[in-house]
Amino acid sequence: MAPESAAAQVLSAEQRYAAELAFLAAHDDGARPPGWALTPRAVVTFIRGSDGEALSLPADRRSRPGGVDLPASLTIVPKFVGERSLVERCVVTLAGERGLLLVGEPGTAKSMLSELLAAAVCGTSALTVQGTAGTTEDAFRYGWNYALLLAQGPTPQALVDSPVLTAMRTGRVARIEEVTRCLPEVQDALVSILSDRRMNVPELSGTGNGLIRATPGFTVIATANLRDRGVSEMSSALKRRFNFETVHPIADAGTETDLVRRQATAAVQRAGAPYTVDDAVLDALITVFRDLRTGRSGEGWDVERPGTVMSTAEAVQVAASLGLAAAYLPGGDPLDLVPGHLLGVVRKDDENDHARLLGYWDGPVRRRAEDGSAMWRRLWDLRASLR
């Protein structure tokens, strides 16, 4: 068993940004919806950042229980790269206690946005259900402690709350990841929860505990991948209980490159090493990802898109792998590793994707090499490593 003092590999949003959340709670003392830890305006600031501006906190708001005072000023870092209007619409949806469904291609940070919203709104992102083909209705409703059930019969003490039921009791946000991975009959357990805001427990009927009503502040954030359409299509009744918001891939190449560099650097540093991959290598990597994702190069050349998703999340993983190789297996040029890692990303579902990647090398990579770019000439010379 690991010691209690062992560091966690990944911290939740409320742990990672605890200082910012505490500061914003004291900084903005405006009106808050029932059960909210921050004002809606502060939630947007937490997610989008303070635009590089240091927010000031009056002296009379800095004291905290326990003797650890808040700082006089703090710059809130941006955490989600996307349109501010998207974040604002999400916040307004949650303030109205309506279900929010984030949809988009895999790797567009839907889960991260869901986690950030839940942490800022109610202080915890832990009330989460991971949707799979094996998820049962109990994950949305309740289960039983069978030892107590056999000893006492159906009692409130024997009831085991699901994350959704816990959120209902406490007025918090429940998160449901990959809701379309759940079977339709399981999904539809959410219909009455989102419309009636109560849950019946037939086994406890007549005891005064057979009806559990949602506390003000309760709502649901769900995510779904566009690639999963048709896996378990949501019923029209369930769709009507959600506001749909689409999370798009990052539009600006420079913004995406900065994000990949920042996250890859953090990943390599967590592994105990500095990030030393040259910016030019990273630029070339992002260019390949964006070309294959959109089906068109920056020069306007057509590119056959692979069936796999060339997401920003995958780009971060490749960039981190290059950094780890440079740190722990030195002696070569990280650029030489790019084709092999790209092949690992592309060749997942469709055998023809290998040919599509070779076609990209024979098209844009070769053309850029012929235009005199040393970087792309080296990548063209590495074509044989794709076989």
Side-chain angles (χ1 to χ4, degrees):
M1 181 179 294
E4 292 183 3
S5 60
Q9 247 184 345
V10 179
L11 296 176
S12 63
E14 57 269 25
Q15 294 171 320
R16 193 160 60 250
Y17 302 112
E20 289 191 6
L21 291 169
F23 183 92
L24 286 169
H27 177 265
D28 192 339
D29 60 352
R32 305 177 188 186
W36 281 42
L38 302 180
T39 67
R41 178 173 53 190
V43 174
V44 175
T45 301
F46 171 69
I47 295 172
R48 290 286 300 160
S50 56
D51 297 324
E53 175 189 355
L55 303 180
S56 298
L57 191 63
D60 60 348
R61 300 185 193 171
R62 297 175 196 165
S63 61
R64 300 177 65 191
V68 180
D69 291 344
L70 295 171
S73 64
L74 187 65
T75 301
I76 308 301
V77 299
K79 302 164 190 67
F80 172 75
V81 178
E83 296 178 356
R84 183 183 183 88
S85 59
L86 166 66
V87 177
E88 290 176 343
R89 290 195 303 271
C90 292
V91 171
V92 168
T93 294
L94 297 175
E97 296 183 334
R98 183 168 173 78
L100 172 65
L101 182 62
L102 302 173
V103 300
E105 293 287 341
T108 49
K110 301 181 297 298
S111 295
M112 183 182 73
L113 178 56
S114 168
E115 180 185 2
L116 291 170
L117 285 166
V121 167
C122 68
T124 180
S125 59
L127 300 176
T128 303
V129 176
Q130 178 61 55
T132 69
T135 301
T136 65
E137 191 174 323
D138 291 356
F140 296 155
R141 293 175 58 78
Y142 56 86
W144 294 97
N145 180 323
Y146 286 103
L148 288 177
L149 186 64
L150 290 172
Q152 305 174 359
T155 63
Q157 293 74 28
L159 194 71
V160 179
D161 290 3
S162 70
V164 177
L165 183 53
T166 299
M168 291 179 67
R169 291 186 191 270
T170 58
R172 294 179 175 177
V173 176
R175 300 171 57 221
I176 301 173
E177 293 291 312
E178 310 288 2
V179 66
T180 52
R181 289 285 178 183
C182 301
L183 296 175
E185 58 268 26
V186 175
Q187 294 178 23
D188 284 344
L190 292 170
V191 173
S192 61
I193 293 172
L194 290 173
S195 58
D196 300 334
R197 302 286 163 156
R198 60 178 180 264
M199 188 179 299
N200 289 301
V201 185
E203 297 88 343
L204 298 179
S205 61
T207 67
N209 297 295
L211 181 63
I212 302 170
R213 300 182 184 276
T215 300
F218 164 70
T219 191
V220 172
I221 304 175
T223 64
N225 285 326
L226 292 176
R227 294 291 179 105
D228 288 342
R229 281 182 173 173
V231 172
S232 292
E233 183 67 21
M234 294 171 66
S235 67
S236 58
L238 183 55
K239 288 178 180 178
R240 289 196 301 271
R241 270 68 180 182
F242 284 102
N243 280 356
F244 282 58
E245 291 293 345
T246 301
V247 183
H248 296 285
I250 299 172
D252 180 69
T255 301
E256 183 172 13
T257 302
D258 290 342
L259 175 66
V260 170
R261 181 185 299 107
R262 186 166 63 249
Q263 294 198 358
T265 298
V268 175
Q269 288 176 344
R270 285 196 302 271
Y275 191 75
T276 59
V277 176
D278 189 85
D279 284 350
V281 175
L282 200 58
D283 288 340
L285 176 68
I286 300 303
T287 297
V288 174
F289 265 84
R290 293 180 67 85
D291 290 351
L292 291 172
R293 181 191 307 151
T294 61
R296 195 169 185 82
S297 73
E299 298 89 347
W301 304 323
D302 288 335
V303 175
E304 189 174 4
R305 297 173 59 186
T308 193
V309 178
M310 304 298 292
S311 67
T312 303
E314 291 278 11
V316 170
Q317 296 303 316
V318 173
S321 295
L322 297 179
L324 289 169
Y328 291 122
L329 301 172
D333 187 343
L335 185 66
D336 294 349
L337 305 176
V338 168
H341 282 291
L342 284 172
L343 188 58
V345 171
V346 169
R347 193 169 56 187
K348 289 183 177 178
D349 300 314
D350 187 347
E351 284 290 331
N352 295 322
D353 283 345
H354 185 191
R356 294 183 180 107
L357 184 60
L358 286 170
Y360 177 77
W361 239 254
D362 293 336
V365 174
R366 178 181 58 80
R367 287 185 175 186
R368 289 164 184 155
E370 291 174 348
D371 287 342
S373 168
M375 176 78 67
W376 292 97
R377 190 181 312 117
R378 177 59 185 157
L379 284 173
W380 169 248
D381 291 340
L382 293 168
R383 184 185 185 280
S385 63
L386 291 171
R387 293 194 174 276

